[in-house]
Structure formats: C-alpha cells, structure tokens
Amino acid sequence: MGRPPCCDKVGVKKGPWTPEEDIILVSYIQEHGPGNWRSVPTNTGLMRCSKSCRLRWTNYLRPGIKRGNFTDHEEKMIIHLQALLGNRWAAIASYLPQRTDNDIKNYWNTHLKKKLKKLQTGSTAEDGFSGNSQQPISKGQWERRLQTDIHMAKQALCEALSLDKPSHDHHHVQDLKPSISNINGISTTTTTTTTRPHQASTYVSNTENIARLLENWMKISPKAQTISSDDHQSKVHHQNMLHNGSSSSTTDGAHSATTTTPDNNDHHQGFDSLFSSFNSSTLSDNASQLSADNNHQTSTTTNTTSLMMFQDESKPDLEAAAGSAAAAVDQVPLTLLEKWLFDDATAHQAHDQDLLF
DNA sequence: AAGGGAAGCAACCGCAGGGGG
DNA sequence: GCCCCCTGCGGTTGCTTCCCT
C-alpha cells in the first residue's frame, strides 16, 4: 500500500495565492504558530495542500524576508557559500537570514549561474574554479567543510549570544518588518507596482477586502492587539501605506542583480517606509546597518512590543544565531563568516570571481 | 502593433530524513 | 527495529512580463 498523498488531489487549489488566502494563513499562524501544517488547510478552510501552505509561509509570508534585488555583498556571499556548500540552498540561506532558500536558488539559477558562466568562458577556466558542483570534492574535503560549517554555526551562536541586546532586537526587527510589509503588500498594491504585475493585478482587485480583513484581524487577534492597541496608529499606518505606495511605484525591479538603487527594489520598499512610520521609536543603529545594502533606506525601526508578534515564528536558534552573525556581516567589514570564507581552502576559487565583481 | 523568444519568479513535485508510536 | 506521519529540501515547471525583431 502506497503512501497516501499529502493532500487530496481533488478540490485542492493550485497556483498563485490570493490575498484572502494569505490573510487567512497569516492570521492562523499568528494565532497558532507555524507547524502542524497538516492541520492548517482543515482548520483554516483553505483549499490548499499543507505543503503549499508551508511553502507560502516560508517563502513569502514569513517574517524576516527581504525581497528585491540582491546586494553585491549578498551576491558574493552566495557565490562563496555555493562554492563551499554546493546546492545546499537551505544551508546557504541560513547565512542570509533575510533570504529564502527559494529566492537564493532562483537568484542563482537566473543570475549568478549565467554570470559565472560568462566569467568562466571569459577567463581561463583551468584555475580550478567551477563555481559549482562539477568540481569533484573529495570526501575528506567535504567532511572538513561540514565540520567547518558546524564550527561556524557554533561560533555564530556564541557570537549572537554575546551580542548586545539591540542587536538581538534588531534581528527581530528584521524579522518583523517584512512581515508587516507583506501584510501591507497585500492591501496596498493598488498604487504599488510589484515585480510580479500579474500578482499585483490580483491584489489590486482585492485591495479593499484585504484591508478589511486585515483590520478585523488586527482587532481579533489578541497578540495583534498588543501591537495595534492604538487604532490611530493603525490608521496612520494605513495612510502612510497608501501614501508610500503611490510614491513607490516602480518599474520592474528585477533587472540587474547588481543594481541596488532604491527604486528598483520591489514593492516592499514602499511598505518599508510604511513600517518606519508605523513605528515612532527612534532610529536605532540598526538603520545604518540595514541601509548598507540600500534596501532599507527608509525603514528599520520598530518597537519591541510589535516584535512580540512573530517572535515565536523565527527561524530555529541556530539559524537565528547564524542569521544574527550574518546580519552583522553587513555592519562589520570582515566578519567571522567572511573571514572563514576567505580563509577557506577554496577561497582562491572564489577569489577569481571577486576580482571580476 | 504584433509575435516570439528570453527572463524572472512563485509554486509544485517527489524524495529524504527525523521523530514518535 | 519497523512503520508511519510530518516536515524540509532541491529540482523543476508554469505563468507572466519584458524585450527584441
């Protein structure tokens, strides 16, 4: 007897998610937390496969996701890590906590692969650089890398634990902000051009419904109340949302991987602005950190109360630790991670790439 | 203006691994 | 130790838009 399918094929909706579905999923997770995906479709009434729900959450709705163009730094990190770890996208993503493995995978396949290929053909390819798994890795080398990986994670954990609280908070700031962005993205694309116009059109058609749903959600959810206790605040939130949405209409933001002008960030940028207005607290030092990659020029602040919202939905500790370390990478010119990357025996391979970037 | 190929990204599929009974 | 359930991961597909002719 075969394994039962993860979901009934009949009556399971496929394809792009609608804003309503997003709202339902987010509100459910907000109340119950992520996990137990099997029960999500039944409990929410979503006509989606549990896998689809999980995927939607982890790749799109989950707090802490940064969307838009990859920075040079991220690009280099990916190249380095890919050279070290191969196509272990989840592992690579753990070092880029704001990016999903799917995002990284897509970026690799669509941008970096081509880029490296071009470079490879343009330069002498015998220097050992493969940039990919075609380079045979001996078992010993692999184990060594794995050990290094584990060691790094441990160090990152220690580092994260010894970080100042603001940094810790910052991690959550990053966790939360995009979540708000996402939520807002659902309700504000009336005036905001997304990188996925077809989705935008879907969203546009549902703007009012979603805004209403969101309002209800904010009222209903006990946790949400802690962050939206002030109705006025949410109204300001809303107004800014619309305002920023109208001013952040962009052209397709996914043209150049190395172009990091604010304008070609995706639709979330406007929501970043929104988020910053949502929070009236002072600008933390995190702002400078985030502004380093040009994607968060107007954002990066929040209050700790709001951070509670999705706190229990962060990545696992280890990843979070690594994430904190990776986040700190933006701040410090040469972090542990980078040092490790550069010191690694294979760094010479990537070095050739670096010279060309 | 229209058509076709290329590009980009969200979502799906199938497999593997972990954990509990 | 085995089985089953659930989750995570990586490869792949499909849809939409962009761009060139």
Side-chain angles (χ1 to χ4, degrees), chain A residues 75 78-79 107-108 110-117:
Chain A
E75 200 172 299
I78 293 168
I79 292 168
Y107 188 66
W108 175 265
T110 57
H111 291 86
L112 298 180
K113 229 177 183 177
K114 269 180 274 178
K115 211 167 183 175
L116 292 180
K117 197 176 179 181

Side-chain angles (χ1 to χ4, degrees), chain A residues 46-326:
Chain A
L46 285 169
M47 306 298 283
R48 293 279 182 175
C49 159
S50 58
K51 271 174 133 183
S52 184
C53 293
R54 181 178 57 79
L55 220 59
R56 181 64 179 172
W57 171 255
T58 53
N59 285 339
Y60 203 86
L61 301 173
R62 176 172 61 84
I65 296 173
K66 183 168 93 178
R67 313 197 68 81
N69 291 336
F70 282 70
T71 64
D72 284 347
H73 185 86
E74 287 173 320
E75 200 172 299
K76 284 176 187 172
M77 292 261 295
I78 293 168
I79 292 168
H80 284 311
L81 289 165
Q82 206 281 340
L84 287 170
L85 305 171
N87 292 359
R88 294 166 59 208
W89 304 117
I92 293 171
S94 69
Y95 292 101
L96 294 162
Q98 295 177 304
R99 301 290 188 180
T100 68
D101 53 354
N102 205 37
D103 248 2
I104 293 170
K105 184 172 59 182
N106 281 335
Y107 188 66
W108 175 265
N109 287 330
T110 57
H111 291 86
L112 298 180
K113 229 177 183 177
K114 269 180 274 178
K115 211 167 183 175
L116 292 180
K117 197 176 179 181
K118 207 191 265 181
L119 293 171
Q120 208 171 359
T121 54
S123 62
T124 54
E126 302 91 41
D127 57 359
F129 175 79
S130 67
N132 211 332
S133 52
Q134 65 229 48
Q135 182 190 7
I137 299 173
S138 69
K139 192 186 171 189
Q141 194 179 0
W142 171 250
E143 283 173 353
R144 184 178 149 269
R145 287 182 183 181
L146 211 56
Q147 284 178 347
T148 314
D149 205 7
I150 293 163
H151 179 65
M152 267 305 303
K154 281 181 183 173
Q155 282 190 306
L157 180 61
C158 294
E159 200 172 278
L161 290 173
S162 65
L163 286 176
D164 292 336
K165 282 204 163 116
S167 298
H168 180 69
D169 284 346
H170 164 64
H171 178 64
H172 290 294
V173 168
Q174 290 181 320
D175 271 358
L176 177 66
K177 178 173 63 64
S179 122
I180 297 295
S181 299
N182 281 322
I183 291 164
N184 293 330
I186 289 164
S187 60
T188 60
T189 44
T190 319
T191 53
T192 303
T193 308
T194 72
T195 55
R196 304 295 300 169
H198 66 284
Q199 289 178 349
S201 62
T202 311
Y203 275 29
V204 166
S205 68
N206 293 283
T207 299
E208 290 180 14
N209 289 341
I210 294 147
R212 222 171 21 237
L213 281 167
L214 260 180
E215 277 181 14
N216 289 336
W217 172 56
M218 295 294 265
K219 284 173 190 166
I220 291 165
S221 167
K223 286 183 193 172
Q225 281 181 348
T226 64
I227 68 155
S228 63
S229 58
D230 184 351
D231 213 17
H232 167 69
Q233 198 172 28
S234 71
K235 279 176 185 168
V236 171
H237 193 173
H238 221 92
Q239 284 167 359
N240 281 307
M241 175 164 66
L242 294 170
H243 171 73
N244 288 309
S246 62
S247 63
S248 66
S249 179
T250 65
T251 55
D252 190 342
H255 283 311
S256 167
T258 54
T259 307
T260 53
T261 58
D263 274 353
N264 58 17
N265 289 324
D266 72 351
H267 57 286
H268 291 293
Q269 192 201 15
F271 311 131
D272 288 347
S273 302
L274 158 67
F275 188 81
S276 69
S277 67
F278 172 67
N279 171 4
S280 59
S281 66
T282 56
L283 199 69
S284 69
D285 52 352
N286 300 322
S288 57
Q289 172 180 336
L290 288 171
S291 63
D293 58 14
N294 283 346
N295 283 322
H296 299 80
Q297 290 187 341
T298 58
S299 62
T300 73
T301 58
T302 186
N303 55 44
T304 48
T305 323
S306 60
L307 297 178
M308 302 301 292
M309 191 170 168
F310 287 107
Q311 221 167 20
D312 52 348
E313 295 158 19
S314 308
K315 286 189 169 188
D317 287 348
L318 189 63
E319 287 188 14
S324 297

Side-chain angles (χ1 to χ4, degrees), chain A residues 5-14 49:
Chain A
C6 70
C7 52
D8 294 327
K9 296 294 176 188
V10 183
V12 173
K13 194 180 169 193
K14 290 164 79 172
C49 159

